[in-house]
Amino acid sequence: MGHRALVAYRRPDRLYDLRYSHWGGEGLSLADEITAATPLADGVIEGSLLADSITRDRILQDFLDPCVHEALYLVAPADDYAVDAYRVCWLEWGDGRDDGRGAIVAARADDGAGAGTEGERIETWFRATKTALADIIEMGALSRRAAQAYLEARVCEDQDGILYTYGESVDEDSSYTPTPDRWLEEERRERNEGTDGTGEPDE
């Protein structure tokens, strides 16, 4: 099956040339293997280009399928091949309308740990959070849409994740927000009870 990853090399014009690695997603190992001497990590990254001269948004929306890929690497050859490694998170459960909804989370090693260790921490956190939400959905306490909205909020607020929708045109408005569930509207109405309809308490 492999551990699929995409590797994007930044050009002088700040666009990217994109390549594929079948095993590069495992442990975010490529973060340490891509160097000026081994820009393709000794053959772990394929030499042929998937695309050239594309933006990061196009990488996310046209190439980085969150159901397929486990990692994304952004490489800066002009900066001695510095590598930013990202874990890919799939934000759906398989039967929603947004099967391509995903996020990338940077594996920052600020505490001295390597990208692989940080990648494992992100993966463990994400799997635990998503599994708990799946149980809550199964018990009927939350709908799938409400759980997705909560999961997206946690990924952004707790992990500084970047949300995206795979397969969405970069020319379209990408500010997607899951539709609020009915129970959220009911909660708002309850908060407004006893008001004059303007949101201000009755005098």
Side-chain angles (χ1 to χ4, degrees):
M1 181 176 178
H3 295 274
R4 298 174 177 88
L6 296 182
V7 186
Y9 297 80
R10 191 170 64 192
R11 300 156 48 100
D13 57 9
R14 297 194 175 276
L15 297 176
Y16 291 89
D17 291 339
L18 189 64
R19 290 183 166 88
Y20 169 76
S21 173
H22 194 65
W23 295 101
E26 186 173 14
L28 298 183
S29 58
L30 290 185
D32 298 320
E33 296 174 13
I34 298 172
T35 66
T38 57
L40 299 181
D42 286 330
V44 178
I45 303 166
E46 294 185 3
S48 58
L49 290 176
L50 289 177
D52 63 354
S53 304
I54 61 173
T55 64
R56 191 191 71 171
D57 284 346
R58 275 206 60 204
I59 293 171
L60 299 181
Q61 296 172 10
D62 292 351
F63 294 93
L64 192 69
D65 186 341
C67 300
V68 172
H69 299 101
E70 297 181 26
L72 171 67
Y73 300 90
L74 300 182
V75 184
D79 191 18
D80 197 27
Y81 280 81
V83 180
D84 292 326
Y86 296 85
R87 178 61 68 193
V88 179
C89 301
W90 182 37
L91 299 172
E92 270 289 341
W93 283 269
D95 58 357
R97 73 172 179 85
D98 300 307
D99 289 345
R101 192 68 174 158
I104 56 172
V105 178
R108 298 184 179 90
D110 297 333
D111 59 357
T117 301
E118 178 66 1
E120 290 174 3
R121 183 198 66 76
I122 295 167
E123 184 175 7
T124 300
W125 175 88
F126 182 73
R127 284 186 177 182
T129 303
K130 191 174 179 181
T131 298
L133 285 171
D135 291 340
I136 293 172
I137 293 169
E138 186 68 23
M139 290 186 293
L142 279 181
S143 73
R144 193 174 300 273
R145 182 51 58 99
Q148 181 190 349
Y150 178 83
L151 180 60
E152 291 188 7
R154 294 276 62 79
V155 168
C156 290
E157 294 172 16
D158 296 349
Q159 305 296 328
D160 293 325
I162 298 169
L163 305 177
Y164 70 98
T165 301
Y166 173 71
E168 180 180 65
S169 170
V170 295
D171 295 327
E172 296 175 1
D173 179 13
S174 61
S175 57
Y176 166 81
T177 302
T179 304
D181 275 357
R182 191 170 301 163
W183 65 268
L184 290 174
E185 297 299 327
E186 292 172 355
E187 182 179 335
R188 290 191 186 98
R189 282 197 299 272
E190 289 173 3
R191 286 201 306 264
N192 288 332
E193 284 182 358
T195 68
D196 60 5
T198 64
E200 297 296 329
D202 292 333
E203 294 297 337

